[in-house]
mmCIF file with all atom_site columns, all heavy atoms in Angstrom:
data_model
loop_
_atom_site.group_PDB
_atom_site.id
_atom_site.type_symbol
_atom_site.label_atom_id
_atom_site.label_alt_id
_atom_site.label_comp_id
_atom_site.label_asym_id
_atom_site.label_entity_id
_atom_site.label_seq_id
_atom_site.pdbx_PDB_ins_code
_atom_site.Cartn_x
_atom_site.Cartn_y
_atom_site.Cartn_z
_atom_site.occupancy
_atom_site.B_iso_or_equiv
_atom_site.pdbx_formal_charge
_atom_site.auth_seq_id
_atom_site.auth_comp_id
_atom_site.auth_asym_id
_atom_site.auth_atom_id
_atom_site.pdbx_PDB_model_num
ATOM 1  N N   . PHE A 1 226 ? -3.362  1.802   25.405 1.00 0.00 ? 226 PHE A N   1
ATOM 2  C CA  . PHE A 1 226 ? -1.904  1.670   25.592 1.00 0.00 ? 226 PHE A CA  1
ATOM 3  C C   . PHE A 1 226 ? -1.470  0.230   26.072 1.00 0.00 ? 226 PHE A C   1
ATOM 4  O O   . PHE A 1 226 ? -0.369  -0.221  25.855 1.00 0.00 ? 226 PHE A O   1
ATOM 5  C CB  . PHE A 1 226 ? -1.250  2.767   26.393 1.00 0.00 ? 226 PHE A CB  1
ATOM 6  C CG  . PHE A 1 226 ? -1.221  4.050   25.747 1.00 0.00 ? 226 PHE A CG  1
ATOM 7  C CD1 . PHE A 1 226 ? -2.017  5.121   25.986 1.00 0.00 ? 226 PHE A CD1 1
ATOM 8  C CD2 . PHE A 1 226 ? -0.358  4.233   24.603 1.00 0.00 ? 226 PHE A CD2 1
ATOM 9  C CE1 . PHE A 1 226 ? -2.013  6.322   25.298 1.00 0.00 ? 226 PHE A CE1 1
ATOM 10 C CE2 . PHE A 1 226 ? -0.329  5.447   23.904 1.00 0.00 ? 226 PHE A CE2 1
ATOM 11 C CZ  . PHE A 1 226 ? -1.170  6.483   24.243 1.00 0.00 ? 226 PHE A CZ  1
ATOM 12 N N   . ILE A 1 227 ? -2.383  -0.482  26.726 1.00 0.00 ? 227 ILE A N   1
ATOM 13 C CA  . ILE A 1 227 ? -2.056  -1.839  27.118 1.00 0.00 ? 227 ILE A CA  1
ATOM 14 C C   . ILE A 1 227 ? -2.486  -2.908  26.045 1.00 0.00 ? 227 ILE A C   1
ATOM 15 O O   . ILE A 1 227 ? -2.093  -4.027  26.095 1.00 0.00 ? 227 ILE A O   1
ATOM 16 C CB  . ILE A 1 227 ? -2.597  -2.348  28.433 1.00 0.00 ? 227 ILE A CB  1
ATOM 17 C CG1 . ILE A 1 227 ? -4.109  -2.266  28.545 1.00 0.00 ? 227 ILE A CG1 1
ATOM 18 C CG2 . ILE A 1 227 ? -1.955  -1.523  29.636 1.00 0.00 ? 227 ILE A CG2 1
ATOM 19 C CD1 . ILE A 1 227 ? -4.706  -2.901  29.700 1.00 0.00 ? 227 ILE A CD1 1
ATOM 20 N N   . SER A 1 228 ? -3.333  -2.456  25.138 1.00 0.00 ? 228 SER A N   1
ATOM 21 C CA  . SER A 1 228 ? -3.852  -3.421  24.123 1.00 0.00 ? 228 SER A CA  1
ATOM 22 C C   . SER A 1 228 ? -2.863  -3.800  23.029 1.00 0.00 ? 228 SER A C   1
ATOM 23 O O   . SER A 1 228 ? -1.928  -3.042  22.810 1.00 0.00 ? 228 SER A O   1
ATOM 24 C CB  . SER A 1 228 ? -5.090  -2.818  23.418 1.00 0.00 ? 228 SER A CB  1
ATOM 25 O OG  . SER A 1 228 ? -4.689  -1.809  22.515 1.00 0.00 ? 228 SER A OG  1
ATOM 26 N N   . ARG A 1 229 ? -3.148  -4.994  22.451 1.00 0.00 ? 229 ARG A N   1
ATOM 27 C CA  . ARG A 1 229 ? -2.267  -5.416  21.285 1.00 0.00 ? 229 ARG A CA  1
ATOM 28 C C   . ARG A 1 229 ? -3.134  -5.553  20.062 1.00 0.00 ? 229 ARG A C   1
ATOM 29 O O   . ARG A 1 229 ? -2.662  -6.006  18.978 1.00 0.00 ? 229 ARG A O   1
ATOM 30 C CB  . ARG A 1 229 ? -1.538  -6.727  21.580 1.00 0.00 ? 229 ARG A CB  1
ATOM 31 C CG  . ARG A 1 229 ? -0.294  -6.448  22.451 1.00 0.00 ? 229 ARG A CG  1
ATOM 32 C CD  . ARG A 1 229 ? -0.005  -7.705  23.298 1.00 0.00 ? 229 ARG A CD  1
ATOM 33 N NE  . ARG A 1 229 ? -1.162  -8.018  24.138 1.00 0.00 ? 229 ARG A NE  1
ATOM 34 C CZ  . ARG A 1 229 ? -1.328  -9.191  24.796 1.00 0.00 ? 229 ARG A CZ  1
ATOM 35 N NH1 . ARG A 1 229 ? -0.491  -10.129 24.624 1.00 0.00 ? 229 ARG A NH1 1
ATOM 36 N NH2 . ARG A 1 229 ? -2.397  -9.393  25.458 1.00 0.00 ? 229 ARG A NH2 1
ATOM 37 N N   . SER A 1 230 ? -4.459  -5.302  20.141 1.00 0.00 ? 230 SER A N   1
ATOM 38 C CA  . SER A 1 230 ? -5.274  -5.356  18.972 1.00 0.00 ? 230 SER A CA  1
ATOM 39 C C   . SER A 1 230 ? -6.423  -4.388  19.127 1.00 0.00 ? 230 SER A C   1
ATOM 40 O O   . SER A 1 230 ? -6.794  -3.963  20.257 1.00 0.00 ? 230 SER A O   1
ATOM 41 C CB  . SER A 1 230 ? -5.767  -6.808  18.804 1.00 0.00 ? 230 SER A CB  1
ATOM 42 O OG  . SER A 1 230 ? -6.729  -7.134  19.826 1.00 0.00 ? 230 SER A OG  1
ATOM 43 N N   . PHE A 1 231 ? -7.167  -4.187  18.015 1.00 0.00 ? 231 PHE A N   1
ATOM 44 C CA  . PHE A 1 231 ? -8.388  -3.358  18.047 1.00 0.00 ? 231 PHE A CA  1
ATOM 45 C C   . PHE A 1 231 ? -9.398  -3.958  19.025 1.00 0.00 ? 231 PHE A C   1
ATOM 46 O O   . PHE A 1 231 ? -9.962  -3.277  19.832 1.00 0.00 ? 231 PHE A O   1
ATOM 47 C CB  . PHE A 1 231 ? -8.956  -3.265  16.600 1.00 0.00 ? 231 PHE A CB  1
ATOM 48 C CG  . PHE A 1 231 ? -10.299 -2.519  16.559 1.00 0.00 ? 231 PHE A CG  1
ATOM 49 C CD1 . PHE A 1 231 ? -10.315 -1.158  16.382 1.00 0.00 ? 231 PHE A CD1 1
ATOM 50 C CD2 . PHE A 1 231 ? -11.448 -3.253  16.701 1.00 0.00 ? 231 PHE A CD2 1
ATOM 51 C CE1 . PHE A 1 231 ? -11.560 -0.520  16.382 1.00 0.00 ? 231 PHE A CE1 1
ATOM 52 C CE2 . PHE A 1 231 ? -12.694 -2.593  16.656 1.00 0.00 ? 231 PHE A CE2 1
ATOM 53 C CZ  . PHE A 1 231 ? -12.740 -1.227  16.494 1.00 0.00 ? 231 PHE A CZ  1
ATOM 54 N N   . GLU A 1 232 ? -9.570  -5.293  18.841 1.00 0.00 ? 232 GLU A N   1
ATOM 55 C CA  . GLU A 1 232 ? -10.627 -5.906  19.679 1.00 0.00 ? 232 GLU A CA  1
ATOM 56 C C   . GLU A 1 232 ? -10.316 -5.833  21.118 1.00 0.00 ? 232 GLU A C   1
ATOM 57 O O   . GLU A 1 232 ? -11.202 -5.541  21.997 1.00 0.00 ? 232 GLU A O   1
ATOM 58 C CB  . GLU A 1 232 ? -10.864 -7.400  19.180 1.00 0.00 ? 232 GLU A CB  1
ATOM 59 C CG  . GLU A 1 232 ? -11.921 -8.047  20.006 1.00 0.00 ? 232 GLU A CG  1
ATOM 60 C CD  . GLU A 1 232 ? -12.301 -9.446  19.406 1.00 0.00 ? 232 GLU A CD  1
ATOM 61 O OE1 . GLU A 1 232 ? -12.050 -9.715  18.195 1.00 0.00 ? 232 GLU A OE1 1
ATOM 62 O OE2 . GLU A 1 232 ? -12.827 -10.240 20.222 1.00 0.00 ? 232 GLU A OE2 1
ATOM 63 N N   . GLU A 1 233 ? -9.091  -6.112  21.514 1.00 0.00 ? 233 GLU A N   1
ATOM 64 C CA  . GLU A 1 233 ? -8.671  -6.053  22.918 1.00 0.00 ? 233 GLU A CA  1
ATOM 65 C C   . GLU A 1 233 ? -8.928  -4.732  23.575 1.00 0.00 ? 233 GLU A C   1
ATOM 66 O O   . GLU A 1 233 ? -9.408  -4.556  24.612 1.00 0.00 ? 233 GLU A O   1
ATOM 67 C CB  . GLU A 1 233 ? -7.217  -6.536  22.991 1.00 0.00 ? 233 GLU A CB  1
ATOM 68 C CG  . GLU A 1 233 ? -6.828  -6.705  24.444 1.00 0.00 ? 233 GLU A CG  1
ATOM 69 C CD  . GLU A 1 233 ? -5.244  -7.001  24.501 1.00 0.00 ? 233 GLU A CD  1
ATOM 70 O OE1 . GLU A 1 233 ? -4.658  -7.442  23.525 1.00 0.00 ? 233 GLU A OE1 1
ATOM 71 O OE2 . GLU A 1 233 ? -4.658  -6.786  25.567 1.00 0.00 ? 233 GLU A OE2 1
ATOM 72 N N   . CYS A 1 234 ? -8.572  -3.646  22.742 1.00 0.00 ? 234 CYS A N   1
ATOM 73 C CA  . CYS A 1 234 ? -8.741  -2.299  23.211 1.00 0.00 ? 234 CYS A CA  1
ATOM 74 C C   . CYS A 1 234 ? -10.186 -1.967  23.492 1.00 0.00 ? 234 CYS A C   1
ATOM 75 O O   . CYS A 1 234 ? -10.559 -1.433  24.518 1.00 0.00 ? 234 CYS A O   1
ATOM 76 C CB  . CYS A 1 234 ? -8.124  -1.322  22.164 1.00 0.00 ? 234 CYS A CB  1
ATOM 77 S SG  . CYS A 1 234 ? -8.410  0.393   22.579 1.00 0.00 ? 234 CYS A SG  1
ATOM 78 N N   . VAL A 1 235 ? -11.021 -2.269  22.460 1.00 0.00 ? 235 VAL A N   1
ATOM 79 C CA  . VAL A 1 235 ? -12.391 -1.886  22.557 1.00 0.00 ? 235 VAL A CA  1
ATOM 80 C C   . VAL A 1 235 ? -13.154 -2.695  23.605 1.00 0.00 ? 235 VAL A C   1
ATOM 81 O O   . VAL A 1 235 ? -14.031 -2.214  24.371 1.00 0.00 ? 235 VAL A O   1
ATOM 82 C CB  . VAL A 1 235 ? -13.116 -1.885  21.170 1.00 0.00 ? 235 VAL A CB  1
ATOM 83 C CG1 . VAL A 1 235 ? -14.539 -1.383  21.236 1.00 0.00 ? 235 VAL A CG1 1
ATOM 84 C CG2 . VAL A 1 235 ? -12.321 -0.951  20.218 1.00 0.00 ? 235 VAL A CG2 1
ATOM 85 N N   . VAL A 1 236 ? -12.872 -3.963  23.587 1.00 0.00 ? 236 VAL A N   1
ATOM 86 C CA  . VAL A 1 236 ? -13.619 -4.872  24.576 1.00 0.00 ? 236 VAL A CA  1
ATOM 87 C C   . VAL A 1 236 ? -13.160 -4.484  25.977 1.00 0.00 ? 236 VAL A C   1
ATOM 88 O O   . VAL A 1 236 ? -14.072 -4.396  26.895 1.00 0.00 ? 236 VAL A O   1
ATOM 89 C CB  . VAL A 1 236 ? -13.268 -6.409  24.286 1.00 0.00 ? 236 VAL A CB  1
ATOM 90 C CG1 . VAL A 1 236 ? -13.686 -7.295  25.476 1.00 0.00 ? 236 VAL A CG1 1
ATOM 91 C CG2 . VAL A 1 236 ? -13.995 -6.838  22.986 1.00 0.00 ? 236 VAL A CG2 1
ATOM 92 N N   . GLY A 1 237 ? -11.889 -4.309  26.268 1.00 0.00 ? 237 GLY A N   1
ATOM 93 C CA  . GLY A 1 237 ? -11.454 -3.864  27.582 1.00 0.00 ? 237 GLY A CA  1
ATOM 94 C C   . GLY A 1 237 ? -12.149 -2.582  27.993 1.00 0.00 ? 237 GLY A C   1
ATOM 95 O O   . GLY A 1 237 ? -12.569 -2.435  29.152 1.00 0.00 ? 237 GLY A O   1
#
Side-chain angles (χ1 to χ4, degrees):
F226 287 108
I227 60 169
S228 69
R229 282 151 302 164
S230 69
F231 175 88
E232 182 171 335
E233 188 184 340
C234 172
V235 181
V236 168

